[in-house]
Amino acid sequence: MRKAILFVTFLFVSAFLLLGVAEMRPFGQPAVADMDDYFITNAQGEVAVNNVVTAVVFDYRGFDTLGEATVLFAAVVGILALFRKPKEDER
Amino acid sequence: MSNHGMSVIVRTVTRFVYGLIILFGFYVIMHGHLTPGGGFQGGAVVASAFALLLVAFGSAGLKGRLNLHWLQSIEEVGALAFLALAFLGIGTAFFYNLLANSGGFLFGASVPAGANAGVLNAGGTVPLMNWAVGLKVMTGIAAVAITMLIGSKKEETE
């Protein structure tokens, strides 16, 4: 019984994945490329940066990077608080 | 084990290599607006050199080289510098690149269109943000590694 359920689940998941692969577009031809084209044509002129990824990360999508940095900061603060040396009177 | 570090072979190779790893990390941060990489990646590379020192020499090898309070202070300075650079262009929008193409001496040069080798003195706030984020990541991850080593060592002795 358990094996049958597992097999049916496996079949369903495989069918979904294969359906997705069958409807995939050819490599390098996304359905909507307006934003990519804008970044590629205008990053050098607007941000004066050759690395377009850095232009997106630190300029166009800077707010997202701020959240990323906040996540790292919270992780560091959490680990430092977890492993900090307890004072003598706190034991 | 964590007090004494690893074998002589590992320690010798580490002594040769860790300076080069730190140099490469600073190169990745410095050229973040020209070549693949940036603040996060270069900071992680530099922090990996610190982690290598920790693994090879143990906690005794880092005594006197890296101060935990200094690392925390530098991390917070990096975070505040990143936020301040974001607020620099608040007159137009949050994260507006005020310094790009300004013609000034501080990363204000323009870049010719098309494929070229790139201009180091360009990009406005992007290279400065790379440095801020790089300092933040390298000191943050180093502080995490040192703190976890100290924490695990104390459990061993107790």
Side-chain angles (χ1 to χ4, degrees), chain A residues 44-51 54 58-59 62-63 66 69 72-73 76 80 83 86, chain B residues 32-33 35 72 75 83 95 97 101 111 113-114 116 118 122-123 126 129-130 136 147 154:
Chain A
Q44 278 184 320
E46 285 180 356
V47 195
V49 157
N50 267 17
N51 187 355
T54 304
F58 283 109
D59 195 297
F63 200 68
L66 181 64
L72 184 77
F73 180 74
V76 170
L80 289 181
F83 283 92
Chain B
H33 56 303
T35 53
Q72 284 171 281
E75 200 220 345
L83 209 55
F95 272 98
N97 201 336
N101 293 322
V111 168
N116 57 63
V126 172
M129 283 178 178
N130 266 327
K136 183 178 150 42
T147 317
K154 220 172 65 187

PDB file of all heavy atoms in Angstrom, chain A residues 44-51 54 58-59 62-63 66 69 72-73 76 80 83 86, chain B residues 32-33 35 72 75 83 95 97 101 111 113-114 116 118 122-123 126 129-130 136 147 154:
ATOM      1  N   GLN A  44      26.078  50.836 -18.866  1.00  0.00           N
ATOM      2  CA  GLN A  44      27.349  51.538 -19.042  1.00  0.00           C
ATOM      3  C   GLN A  44      27.161  53.040 -19.077  1.00  0.00           C
ATOM      4  O   GLN A  44      27.971  53.790 -18.556  1.00  0.00           O
ATOM      5  CB  GLN A  44      28.024  51.056 -20.326  1.00  0.00           C
ATOM      6  CG  GLN A  44      28.773  49.765 -20.140  1.00  0.00           C
ATOM      7  CD  GLN A  44      29.520  49.359 -21.385  1.00  0.00           C
ATOM      8  OE1 GLN A  44      29.006  49.504 -22.487  1.00  0.00           O
ATOM      9  NE2 GLN A  44      30.721  48.860 -21.214  1.00  0.00           N
ATOM     10  N   GLY A  45      26.083  53.498 -19.685  1.00  0.00           N
ATOM     11  CA  GLY A  45      25.890  54.939 -19.776  1.00  0.00           C
ATOM     12  C   GLY A  45      25.384  55.547 -18.486  1.00  0.00           C
ATOM     13  O   GLY A  45      25.813  56.634 -18.096  1.00  0.00           O
ATOM     14  N   GLU A  46      24.465  54.872 -17.809  1.00  0.00           N
ATOM     15  CA  GLU A  46      23.833  55.465 -16.629  1.00  0.00           C
ATOM     16  C   GLU A  46      24.667  55.306 -15.372  1.00  0.00           C
ATOM     17  O   GLU A  46      24.815  56.243 -14.590  1.00  0.00           O
ATOM     18  CB  GLU A  46      22.453  54.827 -16.412  1.00  0.00           C
ATOM     19  CG  GLU A  46      21.408  55.304 -17.390  1.00  0.00           C
ATOM     20  CD  GLU A  46      20.062  54.674 -17.162  1.00  0.00           C
ATOM     21  OE1 GLU A  46      19.952  53.796 -16.283  1.00  0.00           O
ATOM     22  OE2 GLU A  46      19.125  55.053 -17.871  1.00  0.00           O
ATOM     23  N   VAL A  47      25.195  54.102 -15.151  1.00  0.00           N
ATOM     24  CA  VAL A  47      25.918  53.839 -13.904  1.00  0.00           C
ATOM     25  C   VAL A  47      27.426  53.937 -14.117  1.00  0.00           C
ATOM     26  O   VAL A  47      28.178  54.017 -13.152  1.00  0.00           O
ATOM     27  CB  VAL A  47      25.517  52.457 -13.342  1.00  0.00           C
ATOM     28  CG1 VAL A  47      25.939  52.315 -11.906  1.00  0.00           C
ATOM     29  CG2 VAL A  47      24.023  52.268 -13.457  1.00  0.00           C
ATOM     30  N   ALA A  48      27.897  53.939 -15.381  1.00  0.00           N
ATOM     31  CA  ALA A  48      29.326  53.974 -15.696  1.00  0.00           C
ATOM     32  C   ALA A  48      30.042  52.773 -15.088  1.00  0.00           C
ATOM     33  O   ALA A  48      31.101  52.893 -14.496  1.00  0.00           O
ATOM     34  CB  ALA A  48      29.974  55.279 -15.231  1.00  0.00           C
ATOM     35  N   VAL A  49      29.428  51.601 -15.234  1.00  0.00           N
ATOM     36  CA  VAL A  49      29.971  50.369 -14.664  1.00  0.00           C
ATOM     37  C   VAL A  49      29.959  49.311 -15.750  1.00  0.00           C
ATOM     38  O   VAL A  49      28.973  49.160 -16.471  1.00  0.00           O
ATOM     39  CB  VAL A  49      29.121  49.933 -13.449  1.00  0.00           C
ATOM     40  CG1 VAL A  49      29.278  48.468 -13.202  1.00  0.00           C
ATOM     41  CG2 VAL A  49      29.506  50.715 -12.220  1.00  0.00           C
ATOM     42  N   ASN A  50      31.092  48.600 -15.906  1.00  0.00           N
ATOM     43  CA  ASN A  50      31.148  47.571 -16.941  1.00  0.00           C
ATOM     44  C   ASN A  50      30.491  46.277 -16.503  1.00  0.00           C
ATOM     45  O   ASN A  50      29.989  45.533 -17.323  1.00  0.00           O
ATOM     46  CB  ASN A  50      32.610  47.293 -17.305  1.00  0.00           C
ATOM     47  CG  ASN A  50      33.044  48.136 -18.476  1.00  0.00           C
ATOM     48  OD1 ASN A  50      32.384  49.121 -18.807  1.00  0.00           O
ATOM     49  ND2 ASN A  50      34.136  47.776 -19.094  1.00  0.00           N
ATOM     50  N   ASN A  51      30.531  45.986 -15.199  1.00  0.00           N
ATOM     51  CA  ASN A  51      29.928  44.774 -14.682  1.00  0.00           C
ATOM     52  C   ASN A  51      28.444  45.042 -14.450  1.00  0.00           C
ATOM     53  O   ASN A  51      28.053  45.674 -13.466  1.00  0.00           O
ATOM     54  CB  ASN A  51      30.629  44.385 -13.383  1.00  0.00           C
ATOM     55  CG  ASN A  51      30.198  43.044 -12.859  1.00  0.00           C
ATOM     56  OD1 ASN A  51      29.303  42.426 -13.420  1.00  0.00           O
ATOM     57  ND2 ASN A  51      30.816  42.600 -11.804  1.00  0.00           N
ATOM     58  N   THR A  54      26.872  43.960 -11.115  1.00  0.00           N
ATOM     59  CA  THR A  54      27.107  44.877 -10.011  1.00  0.00           C
ATOM     60  C   THR A  54      26.226  46.121 -10.138  1.00  0.00           C
ATOM     61  O   THR A  54      25.739  46.644  -9.132  1.00  0.00           O
ATOM     62  CB  THR A  54      28.584  45.278  -9.972  1.00  0.00           C
ATOM     63  OG1 THR A  54      29.355  44.103  -9.894  1.00  0.00           O
ATOM     64  CG2 THR A  54      28.890  46.141  -8.779  1.00  0.00           C
ATOM     65  N   PHE A  58      23.878  46.929  -6.982  1.00  0.00           N
ATOM     66  CA  PHE A  58      24.161  48.077  -6.118  1.00  0.00           C
ATOM     67  C   PHE A  58      23.465  49.354  -6.568  1.00  0.00           C
ATOM     68  O   PHE A  58      23.558  50.358  -5.874  1.00  0.00           O
ATOM     69  CB  PHE A  58      25.663  48.320  -6.043  1.00  0.00           C
ATOM     70  CG  PHE A  58      26.374  47.357  -5.150  1.00  0.00           C
ATOM     71  CD1 PHE A  58      27.202  46.392  -5.667  1.00  0.00           C
ATOM     72  CD2 PHE A  58      26.186  47.415  -3.789  1.00  0.00           C
ATOM     73  CE1 PHE A  58      27.834  45.491  -4.840  1.00  0.00           C
ATOM     74  CE2 PHE A  58      26.819  46.512  -2.966  1.00  0.00           C
ATOM     75  CZ  PHE A  58      27.643  45.557  -3.485  1.00  0.00           C
ATOM     76  N   ASP A  59      22.843  49.368  -7.730  1.00  0.00           N
ATOM     77  CA  ASP A  59      22.210  50.610  -8.172  1.00  0.00           C
ATOM     78  C   ASP A  59      20.724  50.408  -8.468  1.00  0.00           C
ATOM     79  O   ASP A  59      19.874  50.971  -7.787  1.00  0.00           O
ATOM     80  CB  ASP A  59      22.939  51.138  -9.408  1.00  0.00           C
ATOM     81  CG  ASP A  59      22.577  52.576  -9.677  1.00  0.00           C
ATOM     82  OD1 ASP A  59      21.399  52.829  -9.938  1.00  0.00           O
ATOM     83  OD2 ASP A  59      23.466  53.444  -9.631  1.00  0.00           O
ATOM     84  N   GLY A  62      19.263  48.327  -5.482  1.00  0.00           N
ATOM     85  CA  GLY A  62      20.037  48.548  -4.259  1.00  0.00           C
ATOM     86  C   GLY A  62      19.270  48.222  -2.997  1.00  0.00           C
ATOM     87  O   GLY A  62      19.844  47.765  -2.009  1.00  0.00           O
ATOM     88  N   PHE A  63      17.965  48.421  -3.034  1.00  0.00           N
ATOM     89  CA  PHE A  63      17.163  48.161  -1.835  1.00  0.00           C
ATOM     90  C   PHE A  63      17.191  46.688  -1.464  1.00  0.00           C
ATOM     91  O   PHE A  63      17.211  46.333  -0.281  1.00  0.00           O
ATOM     92  CB  PHE A  63      15.733  48.627  -2.097  1.00  0.00           C
ATOM     93  CG  PHE A  63      14.940  48.865  -0.854  1.00  0.00           C
ATOM     94  CD1 PHE A  63      15.260  49.902  -0.005  1.00  0.00           C
ATOM     95  CD2 PHE A  63      13.879  48.053  -0.541  1.00  0.00           C
ATOM     96  CE1 PHE A  63      14.542  50.124   1.146  1.00  0.00           C
ATOM     97  CE2 PHE A  63      13.155  48.267   0.607  1.00  0.00           C
ATOM     98  CZ  PHE A  63      13.486  49.302   1.457  1.00  0.00           C
ATOM     99  N   LEU A  66      20.329  46.035   0.337  1.00  0.00           N
ATOM    100  CA  LEU A  66      20.242  46.493   1.730  1.00  0.00           C
ATOM    101  C   LEU A  66      19.603  45.415   2.604  1.00  0.00           C
ATOM    102  O   LEU A  66      20.081  45.133   3.712  1.00  0.00           O
ATOM    103  CB  LEU A  66      19.415  47.788   1.789  1.00  0.00           C
ATOM    104  CG  LEU A  66      19.259  48.407   3.161  1.00  0.00           C
ATOM    105  CD1 LEU A  66      20.603  48.851   3.690  1.00  0.00           C
ATOM    106  CD2 LEU A  66      18.314  49.587   3.105  1.00  0.00           C
ATOM    107  N   ALA A  69      22.160  42.657   3.150  1.00  0.00           N
ATOM    108  CA  ALA A  69      23.153  43.037   4.154  1.00  0.00           C
ATOM    109  C   ALA A  69      22.543  42.984   5.555  1.00  0.00           C
ATOM    110  O   ALA A  69      23.216  42.620   6.524  1.00  0.00           O
ATOM    111  CB  ALA A  69      23.682  44.440   3.864  1.00  0.00           C
ATOM    112  N   LEU A  72      22.556  39.390   6.725  1.00  0.00           N
ATOM    113  CA  LEU A  72      23.888  38.989   7.190  1.00  0.00           C
ATOM    114  C   LEU A  72      24.177  39.594   8.561  1.00  0.00           C
ATOM    115  O   LEU A  72      24.706  38.916   9.453  1.00  0.00           O
ATOM    116  CB  LEU A  72      24.939  39.432   6.178  1.00  0.00           C
ATOM    117  CG  LEU A  72      26.355  38.988   6.515  1.00  0.00           C
ATOM    118  CD1 LEU A  72      26.540  37.536   6.180  1.00  0.00           C
ATOM    119  CD2 LEU A  72      27.371  39.840   5.812  1.00  0.00           C
ATOM    120  N   PHE A  73      23.821  40.859   8.729  1.00  0.00           N
ATOM    121  CA  PHE A  73      24.058  41.525  10.011  1.00  0.00           C
ATOM    122  C   PHE A  73      23.294  40.816  11.136  1.00  0.00           C
ATOM    123  O   PHE A  73      23.854  40.558  12.215  1.00  0.00           O
ATOM    124  CB  PHE A  73      23.614  42.992   9.902  1.00  0.00           C
ATOM    125  CG  PHE A  73      23.805  43.782  11.148  1.00  0.00           C
ATOM    126  CD1 PHE A  73      25.067  44.179  11.541  1.00  0.00           C
ATOM    127  CD2 PHE A  73      22.720  44.131  11.928  1.00  0.00           C
ATOM    128  CE1 PHE A  73      25.246  44.909  12.688  1.00  0.00           C
ATOM    129  CE2 PHE A  73      22.895  44.861  13.076  1.00  0.00           C
ATOM    130  CZ  PHE A  73      24.153  45.250  13.470  1.00  0.00           C
ATOM    131  N   VAL A  76      25.026  37.536  11.986  1.00  0.00           N
ATOM    132  CA  VAL A  76      26.250  37.712  12.774  1.00  0.00           C
ATOM    133  C   VAL A  76      25.907  38.089  14.207  1.00  0.00           C
ATOM    134  O   VAL A  76      26.479  37.539  15.169  1.00  0.00           O
ATOM    135  CB  VAL A  76      27.142  38.785  12.112  1.00  0.00           C
ATOM    136  CG1 VAL A  76      28.282  39.155  13.034  1.00  0.00           C
ATOM    137  CG2 VAL A  76      27.684  38.280  10.797  1.00  0.00           C
ATOM    138  N   LEU A  80      26.861  35.896  17.507  1.00  0.00           N
ATOM    139  CA  LEU A  80      27.667  36.488  18.572  1.00  0.00           C
ATOM    140  C   LEU A  80      26.908  36.476  19.894  1.00  0.00           C
ATOM    141  O   LEU A  80      27.503  36.268  20.957  1.00  0.00           O
ATOM    142  CB  LEU A  80      28.056  37.919  18.204  1.00  0.00           C
ATOM    143  CG  LEU A  80      29.090  38.070  17.095  1.00  0.00           C
ATOM    144  CD1 LEU A  80      29.408  39.519  16.857  1.00  0.00           C
ATOM    145  CD2 LEU A  80      30.352  37.325  17.429  1.00  0.00           C
ATOM    146  N   PHE A  83      26.932  32.712  21.253  1.00  0.00           N
ATOM    147  CA  PHE A  83      28.192  32.147  21.731  1.00  0.00           C
ATOM    148  C   PHE A  83      28.949  33.087  22.668  1.00  0.00           C
ATOM    149  O   PHE A  83      30.105  32.862  22.946  1.00  0.00           O
ATOM    150  CB  PHE A  83      29.103  31.823  20.539  1.00  0.00           C
ATOM    151  CG  PHE A  83      28.715  30.572  19.816  1.00  0.00           C
ATOM    152  CD1 PHE A  83      27.862  30.622  18.740  1.00  0.00           C
ATOM    153  CD2 PHE A  83      29.198  29.345  20.229  1.00  0.00           C
ATOM    154  CE1 PHE A  83      27.500  29.471  18.074  1.00  0.00           C
ATOM    155  CE2 PHE A  83      28.848  28.193  19.564  1.00  0.00           C
ATOM    156  CZ  PHE A  83      27.990  28.257  18.487  1.00  0.00           C
ATOM    157  N   PRO A  86      29.572  34.275  28.937  1.00  0.00           N
ATOM    158  CA  PRO A  86      28.718  34.745  30.025  1.00  0.00           C
ATOM    159  C   PRO A  86      29.551  35.360  31.146  1.00  0.00           C
ATOM    160  O   PRO A  86      30.637  34.875  31.463  1.00  0.00           O
ATOM    161  CB  PRO A  86      28.005  33.473  30.489  1.00  0.00           C
ATOM    162  CG  PRO A  86      28.873  32.375  30.049  1.00  0.00           C
ATOM    163  CD  PRO A  86      29.606  32.825  28.840  1.00  0.00           C
TER     164      PRO A  86
ATOM    165  N   GLY B  32      35.275  45.199  -8.301  1.00  0.00           N
ATOM    166  CA  GLY B  32      33.922  44.666  -8.324  1.00  0.00           C
ATOM    167  C   GLY B  32      33.068  45.263  -9.410  1.00  0.00           C
ATOM    168  O   GLY B  32      32.131  44.624  -9.882  1.00  0.00           O
ATOM    169  N   HIS B  33      33.358  46.520  -9.812  1.00  0.00           N
ATOM    170  CA  HIS B  33      32.545  47.135 -10.855  1.00  0.00           C
ATOM    171  C   HIS B  33      33.108  46.900 -12.248  1.00  0.00           C
ATOM    172  O   HIS B  33      32.571  47.422 -13.210  1.00  0.00           O
ATOM    173  CB  HIS B  33      32.379  48.630 -10.590  1.00  0.00           C
ATOM    174  CG  HIS B  33      33.669  49.365 -10.458  1.00  0.00           C
ATOM    175  ND1 HIS B  33      34.618  49.027  -9.540  1.00  0.00           N
ATOM    176  CD2 HIS B  33      34.163  50.421 -11.124  1.00  0.00           C
ATOM    177  CE1 HIS B  33      35.641  49.853  -9.657  1.00  0.00           C
ATOM    178  NE2 HIS B  33      35.401  50.698 -10.599  1.00  0.00           N
ATOM    179  N   THR B  35      35.044  43.504 -13.065  1.00  0.00           N
ATOM    180  CA  THR B  35      35.152  42.072 -13.324  1.00  0.00           C
ATOM    181  C   THR B  35      34.097  41.341 -12.505  1.00  0.00           C
ATOM    182  O   THR B  35      33.542  41.910 -11.573  1.00  0.00           O
ATOM    183  CB  THR B  35      36.547  41.564 -12.922  1.00  0.00           C
ATOM    184  OG1 THR B  35      36.793  41.964 -11.583  1.00  0.00           O
ATOM    185  CG2 THR B  35      37.610  42.146 -13.810  1.00  0.00           C
ATOM    186  N   GLN B  72      33.906  43.398  15.121  1.00  0.00           N
ATOM    187  CA  GLN B  72      32.510  43.842  15.224  1.00  0.00           C
ATOM    188  C   GLN B  72      32.376  45.316  14.871  1.00  0.00           C
ATOM    189  O   GLN B  72      31.449  45.723  14.162  1.00  0.00           O
ATOM    190  CB  GLN B  72      32.006  43.617  16.653  1.00  0.00           C
ATOM    191  CG  GLN B  72      31.694  42.167  16.962  1.00  0.00           C
ATOM    192  CD  GLN B  72      31.419  41.983  18.435  1.00  0.00           C
ATOM    193  OE1 GLN B  72      32.326  41.923  19.244  1.00  0.00           O
ATOM    194  NE2 GLN B  72      30.160  41.918  18.778  1.00  0.00           N
ATOM    195  N   GLU B  75      32.601  45.808  11.172  1.00  0.00           N
ATOM    196  CA  GLU B  75      31.392  45.352  10.492  1.00  0.00           C
ATOM    197  C   GLU B  75      30.296  46.391  10.582  1.00  0.00           C
ATOM    198  O   GLU B  75      29.604  46.688   9.610  1.00  0.00           O
ATOM    199  CB  GLU B  75      30.910  44.026  11.105  1.00  0.00           C
ATOM    200  CG  GLU B  75      30.001  43.270  10.177  1.00  0.00           C
ATOM    201  CD  GLU B  75      28.851  42.626  10.889  1.00  0.00           C
ATOM    202  OE1 GLU B  75      28.906  42.522  12.117  1.00  0.00           O
ATOM    203  OE2 GLU B  75      27.898  42.239  10.213  1.00  0.00           O
ATOM    204  N   LEU B  83      24.677  52.236   4.278  1.00  0.00           N
ATOM    205  CA  LEU B  83      23.422  52.970   4.437  1.00  0.00           C
ATOM    206  C   LEU B  83      23.620  54.445   4.111  1.00  0.00           C
ATOM    207  O   LEU B  83      22.767  55.074   3.463  1.00  0.00           O
ATOM    208  CB  LEU B  83      22.913  52.799   5.870  1.00  0.00           C
ATOM    209  CG  LEU B  83      21.409  52.867   6.091  1.00  0.00           C
ATOM    210  CD1 LEU B  83      20.699  51.875   5.214  1.00  0.00           C
ATOM    211  CD2 LEU B  83      21.096  52.597   7.539  1.00  0.00           C
ATOM    212  N   PHE B  95      19.006  55.197  -2.888  1.00  0.00           N
ATOM    213  CA  PHE B  95      19.959  54.446  -3.703  1.00  0.00           C
ATOM    214  C   PHE B  95      20.186  55.105  -5.068  1.00  0.00           C
ATOM    215  O   PHE B  95      20.648  54.453  -5.995  1.00  0.00           O
ATOM    216  CB  PHE B  95      19.518  52.990  -3.906  1.00  0.00           C
ATOM    217  CG  PHE B  95      19.986  52.081  -2.822  1.00  0.00           C
ATOM    218  CD1 PHE B  95      19.137  51.744  -1.782  1.00  0.00           C
ATOM    219  CD2 PHE B  95      21.257  51.594  -2.820  1.00  0.00           C
ATOM    220  CE1 PHE B  95      19.569  50.921  -0.761  1.00  0.00           C
ATOM    221  CE2 PHE B  95      21.689  50.765  -1.811  1.00  0.00           C
ATOM    222  CZ  PHE B  95      20.834  50.431  -0.777  1.00  0.00           C
ATOM    223  N   ASN B  97      22.311  56.975  -7.709  1.00  0.00           N
ATOM    224  CA  ASN B  97      23.773  57.029  -7.863  1.00  0.00           C
ATOM    225  C   ASN B  97      24.182  58.457  -8.201  1.00  0.00           C
ATOM    226  O   ASN B  97      24.232  58.851  -9.354  1.00  0.00           O
ATOM    227  CB  ASN B  97      24.200  56.056  -8.958  1.00  0.00           C
ATOM    228  CG  ASN B  97      25.652  55.685  -8.828  1.00  0.00           C
ATOM    229  OD1 ASN B  97      26.434  56.429  -8.243  1.00  0.00           O
ATOM    230  ND2 ASN B  97      26.018  54.549  -9.368  1.00  0.00           N
ATOM    231  N   ASN B 101      29.162  59.452 -13.407  1.00  0.00           N
ATOM    232  CA  ASN B 101      29.228  60.379 -14.538  1.00  0.00           C
ATOM    233  C   ASN B 101      29.269  61.836 -14.107  1.00  0.00           C
ATOM    234  O   ASN B 101      28.933  62.730 -14.868  1.00  0.00           O
ATOM    235  CB  ASN B 101      28.032  60.180 -15.484  1.00  0.00           C
ATOM    236  CG  ASN B 101      28.083  58.848 -16.174  1.00  0.00           C
ATOM    237  OD1 ASN B 101      29.148  58.372 -16.542  1.00  0.00           O
ATOM    238  ND2 ASN B 101      26.947  58.215 -16.317  1.00  0.00           N
ATOM    239  N   VAL B 111      32.235  55.835 -18.920  1.00  0.00           N
ATOM    240  CA  VAL B 111      32.729  54.612 -19.549  1.00  0.00           C
ATOM    241  C   VAL B 111      32.260  54.611 -20.988  1.00  0.00           C
ATOM    242  O   VAL B 111      31.085  54.885 -21.258  1.00  0.00           O
ATOM    243  CB  VAL B 111      32.191  53.365 -18.796  1.00  0.00           C
ATOM    244  CG1 VAL B 111      32.444  52.112 -19.603  1.00  0.00           C
ATOM    245  CG2 VAL B 111      32.840  53.249 -17.446  1.00  0.00           C
ATOM    246  N   ALA B 113      30.809  53.199 -24.443  1.00  0.00           N
ATOM    247  CA  ALA B 113      29.846  52.123 -24.674  1.00  0.00           C
ATOM    248  C   ALA B 113      30.506  50.975 -25.421  1.00  0.00           C
ATOM    249  O   ALA B 113      31.505  51.163 -26.105  1.00  0.00           O
ATOM    250  CB  ALA B 113      28.653  52.654 -25.470  1.00  0.00           C
ATOM    251  N   GLY B 114      29.927  49.786 -25.283  1.00  0.00           N
ATOM    252  CA  GLY B 114      30.447  48.615 -25.969  1.00  0.00           C
ATOM    253  C   GLY B 114      31.457  47.874 -25.127  1.00  0.00           C
ATOM    254  O   GLY B 114      31.652  48.184 -23.955  1.00  0.00           O
ATOM    255  N   ASN B 116      34.787  46.996 -23.593  1.00  0.00           N
ATOM    256  CA  ASN B 116      36.089  47.607 -23.328  1.00  0.00           C
ATOM    257  C   ASN B 116      36.595  47.078 -22.003  1.00  0.00           C
ATOM    258  O   ASN B 116      35.883  46.384 -21.274  1.00  0.00           O
ATOM    259  CB  ASN B 116      35.985  49.138 -23.319  1.00  0.00           C
ATOM    260  CG  ASN B 116      34.975  49.624 -22.317  1.00  0.00           C
ATOM    261  OD1 ASN B 116      35.132  49.408 -21.120  1.00  0.00           O
ATOM    262  ND2 ASN B 116      33.912  50.269 -22.789  1.00  0.00           N
ATOM    263  N   GLY B 118      37.255  48.652 -19.341  1.00  0.00           N
ATOM    264  CA  GLY B 118      36.681  49.289 -18.161  1.00  0.00           C
ATOM    265  C   GLY B 118      37.574  50.359 -17.597  1.00  0.00           C
ATOM    266  O   GLY B 118      38.781  50.398 -17.820  1.00  0.00           O
ATOM    267  N   ALA B 122      35.499  54.875 -12.105  1.00  0.00           N
ATOM    268  CA  ALA B 122      34.149  55.134 -12.600  1.00  0.00           C
ATOM    269  C   ALA B 122      33.160  54.356 -11.743  1.00  0.00           C
ATOM    270  O   ALA B 122      33.541  53.482 -10.967  1.00  0.00           O
ATOM    271  CB  ALA B 122      34.018  54.720 -14.066  1.00  0.00           C
ATOM    272  N   GLY B 123      31.890  54.679 -11.900  1.00  0.00           N
ATOM    273  CA  GLY B 123      30.855  53.911 -11.227  1.00  0.00           C
ATOM    274  C   GLY B 123      30.165  54.639 -10.094  1.00  0.00           C
ATOM    275  O   GLY B 123      29.170  54.151  -9.578  1.00  0.00           O
ATOM    276  N   VAL B 126      28.940  52.895  -6.664  1.00  0.00           N
ATOM    277  CA  VAL B 126      29.008  51.427  -6.734  1.00  0.00           C
ATOM    278  C   VAL B 126      30.325  50.890  -6.157  1.00  0.00           C
ATOM    279  O   VAL B 126      30.301  49.980  -5.314  1.00  0.00           O
ATOM    280  CB  VAL B 126      28.769  50.952  -8.179  1.00  0.00           C
ATOM    281  CG1 VAL B 126      29.032  49.478  -8.306  1.00  0.00           C
ATOM    282  CG2 VAL B 126      27.357  51.267  -8.603  1.00  0.00           C
ATOM    283  N   MET B 129      30.247  51.351  -2.386  1.00  0.00           N
ATOM    284  CA  MET B 129      29.372  50.357  -1.745  1.00  0.00           C
ATOM    285  C   MET B 129      30.023  48.983  -1.745  1.00  0.00           C
ATOM    286  O   MET B 129      29.872  48.216  -0.794  1.00  0.00           O
ATOM    287  CB  MET B 129      28.034  50.288  -2.481  1.00  0.00           C
ATOM    288  CG  MET B 129      27.090  51.414  -2.172  1.00  0.00           C
ATOM    289  SD  MET B 129      25.602  51.244  -3.135  1.00  0.00           S
ATOM    290  CE  MET B 129      24.676  52.638  -2.553  1.00  0.00           C
ATOM    291  N   ASN B 130      30.789  48.675  -2.828  1.00  0.00           N
ATOM    292  CA  ASN B 130      31.517  47.410  -2.838  1.00  0.00           C
ATOM    293  C   ASN B 130      32.467  47.328  -1.656  1.00  0.00           C
ATOM    294  O   ASN B 130      32.546  46.295  -0.989  1.00  0.00           O
ATOM    295  CB  ASN B 130      32.310  47.286  -4.141  1.00  0.00           C
ATOM    296  CG  ASN B 130      31.564  46.530  -5.204  1.00  0.00           C
ATOM    297  OD1 ASN B 130      30.801  45.619  -4.897  1.00  0.00           O
ATOM    298  ND2 ASN B 130      31.768  46.898  -6.439  1.00  0.00           N
ATOM    299  N   LYS B 136      32.207  44.716   5.501  1.00  0.00           N
ATOM    300  CA  LYS B 136      31.170  44.153   6.371  1.00  0.00           C
ATOM    301  C   LYS B 136      31.164  42.635   6.309  1.00  0.00           C
ATOM    302  O   LYS B 136      31.140  41.966   7.354  1.00  0.00           O
ATOM    303  CB  LYS B 136      29.827  44.715   5.916  1.00  0.00           C
ATOM    304  CG  LYS B 136      28.659  44.304   6.735  1.00  0.00           C
ATOM    305  CD  LYS B 136      27.425  44.981   6.195  1.00  0.00           C
ATOM    306  CE  LYS B 136      26.226  44.103   6.447  1.00  0.00           C
ATOM    307  NZ  LYS B 136      26.252  43.505   7.757  1.00  0.00           N
ATOM    308  N   THR B 147      34.118  33.299  16.831  1.00  0.00           N
ATOM    309  CA  THR B 147      33.222  33.104  17.966  1.00  0.00           C
ATOM    310  C   THR B 147      32.798  31.659  18.105  1.00  0.00           C
ATOM    311  O   THR B 147      32.766  31.110  19.214  1.00  0.00           O
ATOM    312  CB  THR B 147      31.976  33.979  17.803  1.00  0.00           C
ATOM    313  OG1 THR B 147      32.374  35.252  17.358  1.00  0.00           O
ATOM    314  CG2 THR B 147      31.229  34.096  19.093  1.00  0.00           C
ATOM    315  N   LYS B 154      35.289  25.928  24.443  1.00  0.00           N
ATOM    316  CA  LYS B 154      34.937  25.980  25.858  1.00  0.00           C
ATOM    317  C   LYS B 154      34.140  24.760  26.279  1.00  0.00           C
ATOM    318  O   LYS B 154      34.320  24.233  27.377  1.00  0.00           O
ATOM    319  CB  LYS B 154      34.142  27.255  26.142  1.00  0.00           C
ATOM    320  CG  LYS B 154      34.522  27.885  27.443  1.00  0.00           C
ATOM    321  CD  LYS B 154      33.873  29.233  27.613  1.00  0.00           C
ATOM    322  CE  LYS B 154      32.391  29.092  27.691  1.00  0.00           C
ATOM    323  NZ  LYS B 154      31.708  30.373  27.687  1.00  0.00           N
TER     324      LYS B 154
END
